[in-house]
């Protein structure tokens, strides 16, 4: 199987004498947020360009995450809602929230064509030029330059905000930082933990033999205390599109650098009587599924992503390839290794990669699931107190309604057994997101908006970080940029009253009707692991 095109980063060759691209709005990142932003800006009369790091648009929505992390259906409005309406049309249904990757790609590519939005691919940010607090232009590794009146950072990592000198944080804040409850180190979660005592050592019972792969530490002095802040982030994985359709199925190939011993911990867990690594299949149309992490040992490559947010492009490529090897290797191991019970091998081997998805990348998703990268620190930081409706905002630009969701951040040894740490799953009701959380402090940058790596604590971001919400925030950010351009002002000085009216006219939902029936615990059923 050809994985030659399956990369995060391939160094770009220099282009000589390339023309400078000048637009009213430059959007860095062809994620769903970038796409909805481009459409909204175009509708409001701005010229726009999307500058995308990879060879693909659509981010996770077009790369395997077909099981929409929805929350409350009525909290989704604007172009985000239009996307799901287009998905319904694609399948000739009245309503459709789940979809195949190729369906999402079809909608996004159609929109780019319909709105005549130029997209520049393989654009690796190299430098940002600022004058008097304004971004003047951004330049790429290949020598291209983009000038704009306003800029949006719609990347999952927050590379543009960082190079623009905007404050940010990486990791988990202490609960003390923002007076939260669910931030920082978290032990004792009821989900995604080892349900049996599993020995962590290469030779069982012998610490001197070393730790099994996938266990990051066994020093009791490094465990920390509940709620303590640290540098760690929640685990990444690929959202893997699978099928059982024999006519459309490719058996799991052995990945590059495969090492069966990497799954010795999983094998011990299976031998202890627990088989749940592939439990979270969400069925999609046409017999496909969206496979996500479930349980103590699954598709999350726990503890192996800490360098990603601030890593060089080359370092991220190493992490990307390691996650590919880990996830595909796990499927290959479960389907083929003779040590795995026959019933499990047969169950896993019945699945495969769909031939009609991701044709250029070996039928494997091209986007790694970056569940969190950098997070901006602006004049307003969204916290778990917003999620729990203990604190309210007066400048809402959209709603979030998915539960507070952090995947595990590390796998450690406590008293001679394996323990996962960092999982949080807390139900919430829809709540409002502040405009101040997507714009930098005025002293740092006056013409940049950040709808993806917005100003939020780690645990609040665990609720906000869902693709429908990113589409909402992208549209709202573009609306604010259009108003700032219209009135020749800064993003900080946009009049919220006018912004709210524009958002309402664009069918955004900026307030939650408390009379609506909403059971957040019921909505969480079956969603653990998103």
């Amino acid at each position: 199987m050809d994985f030659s095109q399956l990369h995060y980063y391939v160094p770009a060759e220099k282009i000589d004498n390339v023309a400078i691209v000048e637009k009213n709005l430059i959007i860095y990142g062809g994620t769903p947020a970038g796409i909805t932003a481009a459409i909204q800006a175009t509708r409001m009369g701005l010229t726009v360009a999307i500058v995308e790091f990879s060879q693909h648009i659509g981010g996770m929505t077009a790369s395997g995450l077909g099981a929409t992390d929805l929350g409350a259906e009525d909290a989704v409005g604007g172009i985000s809602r239009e996307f799901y309406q287009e998905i319904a049309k694609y399948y000739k249904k009245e309503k459709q929230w789940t979809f195949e990757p190729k369906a999402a790609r079809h909608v996004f590519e159609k929109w780019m064509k319909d709105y005549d939005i130029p997209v520049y691919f393989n654009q690796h940010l190299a430098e940002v030029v600022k004058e008097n607090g304004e971004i003047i232009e951004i330049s790429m590794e290949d020598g291209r330059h983009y000038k704009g009146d306003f800029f949006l950072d719609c990347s999952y990592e927050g590379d543009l905000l960082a190079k623009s000198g905007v404050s940010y944080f990486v990791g988990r804040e202490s609960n003390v930082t923002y007076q939260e409850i669910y931030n920082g180190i978290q032990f004792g979660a009821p989900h995604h933990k080892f349900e049996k005592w599993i020995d962590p050592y290469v030779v069982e019972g012998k610490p001197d033999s070393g730790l099994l792969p996938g266990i990051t530490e066994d020093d009791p002095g490094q465990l920390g205390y509940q709620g303590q802040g640290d540098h760690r982030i929640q685990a990444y994985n690929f959202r893997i599109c699978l099928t059982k359709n024999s006519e459309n199925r490719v058996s799991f190939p052995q990945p590059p650098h495969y090492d069966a011993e990497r799954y010795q911990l999983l094998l011990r867990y299976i031998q202890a009587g627990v088989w749940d690594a592939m439990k979270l299949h969400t069925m999609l149309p046409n017999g496909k599924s969206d496979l996500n992490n479930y349980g103590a040992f699954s598709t999350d490559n726990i503890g192996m992503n800490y360098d990603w947010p601030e890593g060089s492009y080359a370092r991220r490529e190493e992490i990307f390839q390691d996650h590919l090897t880990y996830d595909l290797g796990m499927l290959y191991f479960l389907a083929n290794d003779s040590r795995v019970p026959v019933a499990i091998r047969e169950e896993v081997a019945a699945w495969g990669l769909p031939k009609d998805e991701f044709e250029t990348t070996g039928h494997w998703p091209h986007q790694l699931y970056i569940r969190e990268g950098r997070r901006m620190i602006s004049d307003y930081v969204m916290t778990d107190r917003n999620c729990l409706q203990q604190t309210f905002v007066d400048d809402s630009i959209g709603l979030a309604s998915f539960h507070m969701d952090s995947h595990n951040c590390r796998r450690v040894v406590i008293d001679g057994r394996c323990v996962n740490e960092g999982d949080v799953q807390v139900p919430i009701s829809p709540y409002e997101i502040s405009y101040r959380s997507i714009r930098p402090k005025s002293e740092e940058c006056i013409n940049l908006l950040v709808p993806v790596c917005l100003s939020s604590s780690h645990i609040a971001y665990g609720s906000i970080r869902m693709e429908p919400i990113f589409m909402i925030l992208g549209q709202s950010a573009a609306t604010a940029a259009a108003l700032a351009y219209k009135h020749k002002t800064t993003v900080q000085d946009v009049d919220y009253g006018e912004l709210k009216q524009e958002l309402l006219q664009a069918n955004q939902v900026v307030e939650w009707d408390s009379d609506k029936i909403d059971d957040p615990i019921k909505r969480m059923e079956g969603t653990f692991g998103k």
Side-chain angles (χ1 to χ4, degrees), residues 176-239:
V176 173
T177 304
Y178 298 119
Q179 295 78 55
E180 295 181 287
I181 300 173
Y182 298 106
N183 212 338
I185 292 171
Q186 294 288 320
F187 286 106
H191 306 285
H192 309 299
K193 64 180 182 178
F194 284 94
E195 302 291 346
K196 297 287 185 70
W197 183 293
I198 305 298
D199 190 292
Y201 303 113
V202 174
V203 178
E204 294 190 52
K206 294 187 176 182
D208 290 345
S209 65
L211 296 172
L212 290 174
I215 303 171
T216 55
E217 56 196 76
D218 66 344
D219 182 355
Q222 298 297 316
L223 292 178
Y225 57 84
Q226 190 82 353
Q228 180 182 3
D230 64 11
H231 67 284
R232 298 176 180 90
I233 55 177
Q234 58 176 309
Y236 298 169
N237 69 346
F238 285 92
R239 293 293 286 261

Side-chain angles (χ1 to χ4, degrees), residues 320-331:
F320 180 97
Q321 294 299 332
D322 180 67
H323 280 69
L324 165 63
T325 298
Y326 171 80
D327 273 346
L328 182 53
M330 187 191 78
L331 296 172

Side-chain angles (χ1 to χ4, degrees), residues 101-120:
K102 66 180 184 180
R105 186 187 68 199
H106 168 82
V107 173
F108 289 143
E109 289 179 349
K110 179 178 181 297
W111 275 350
M112 296 300 94
K113 182 178 179 180
D114 290 347
Y115 287 93
D116 195 23
I117 295 170
V119 182
Y120 299 86

Side-chain angles (χ1 to χ4, degrees), residues 358-512:
F358 309 117
E359 294 95 337
T360 63
T361 55
H363 311 295
W364 188 264
H366 44 76
Q367 172 71 55
L368 182 63
Y369 196 176
I370 310 303
R371 288 192 172 95
E372 63 179 320
R374 299 179 179 93
R375 299 188 306 280
M376 181 170 64
I377 302 174
S378 72
D379 294 316
Y380 191 90
V381 180
M382 300 292 296
T383 69
D384 71 5
R385 289 180 289 115
N386 294 102
C387 305
L388 298 169
Q389 297 189 346
Q390 298 169 352
T391 299
F392 300 90
V393 304
D394 58 6
D395 58 348
S396 170
I397 54 170
L399 303 181
S401 62
F402 201 77
H403 57 270
M404 283 189 283
D405 178 5
S406 173
H407 284 232
N408 281 303
C409 300
R410 58 179 171 160
R411 183 178 289 131
V412 300
V413 177
I414 298 179
D415 296 331
R417 65 175 293 189
C418 287
V419 175
N420 288 343
E421 184 274 311
D423 182 75
V424 180
Q425 311 284 334
V426 179
I428 55 97
S429 292
Y431 62 94
E432 298 163 351
I433 300 171
S434 169
Y435 173 59
R436 288 164 290 165
S437 72
I438 70 165
R439 59 165 177 75
K441 298 174 183 178
S442 59
E443 62 267 27
E444 293 183 343
C445 193
I446 59 175
N447 67 336
L448 172 69
L449 290 162
V450 185
V452 176
C453 295
L454 73 163
S455 180
S456 169
S457 72
H458 158 78
I459 192 56
Y461 195 76
S463 169
I464 295 169
R465 65 176 178 84
M466 306 304 161
E467 299 282 286
I469 302 169
F470 286 156
M471 286 192 265
I472 290 167
L473 295 178
Q475 180 179 4
S476 295
T479 305
L483 291 178
Y485 177 79
K486 175 182 177 181
H487 296 299
K488 295 181 173 53
T489 189
T490 69
V491 296
Q492 289 81 15
D493 288 333
V494 168
D495 179 74
Y496 175 69
E498 185 178 9
L499 174 59
K500 181 178 179 180
Q501 286 304 118
E502 288 285 349
L503 295 178
L504 292 174
Q505 290 176 18
N507 297 315
Q508 288 281 49
V509 181
V510 298
E511 296 174 340
W512 181 250

